[in-house]
Amino acid sequence: MRNRRPNIGTTPSPCIKVCRIEKDGYCAGCKRTADEIRQWITMSDYEQQKLLFELKWRQDVRGDNT
């Protein structure tokens, strides 16, 4: 049986070019952690969409509407 390459997502990155990891561990621009930023390109569409919902929640909880 052949090893299949996982489906890599095609969702555009949430990066807004304000790349600075704050003391809370989240990027000041997109609210992703450093690990989430690194893993974005290898996530499936489902994983990327799931993370986008998480990022929206992080922005709402923090009161950031960037």
Side-chain angles (χ1 to χ4, degrees), residues 4-15:
R4 291 185 66 199
R5 182 174 177 218
N7 292 334
I8 295 177
T10 58
T11 305
S13 171
C15 179

Side-chain angles (χ1 to χ4, degrees), residues 1 7 25 27 29 34 39 48 55 65:
M1 186 171 191
N7 292 334
C27 174
Q39 294 167 359
Q48 290 173 342
L55 297 177
N65 292 316

Side-chain angles (χ1 to χ4, degrees), residues 26 51-63:
Y26 298 113
L51 180 56
L52 288 178
F53 282 111
E54 172 72 18
L55 297 177
K56 174 74 171 112
W57 179 83
R58 288 177 193 171
Q59 290 174 350
D60 290 347
V61 167
R62 293 174 47 119

Side-chain angles (χ1 to χ4, degrees), residues 24-37:
D24 61 4
Y26 298 113
C27 174
C30 67
K31 307 301 183 263
R32 291 181 290 173
T33 65
D35 286 341
E36 290 167 343
I37 292 168

Side-chain angles (χ1 to χ4, degrees), residues 7 9 11 43-53:
N7 292 334
T11 305
M43 290 180 177
S44 68
D45 277 324
Y46 172 80
E47 292 168 321
Q48 290 173 342
Q49 291 297 317
K50 184 177 171 186
L51 180 56
L52 288 178
F53 282 111

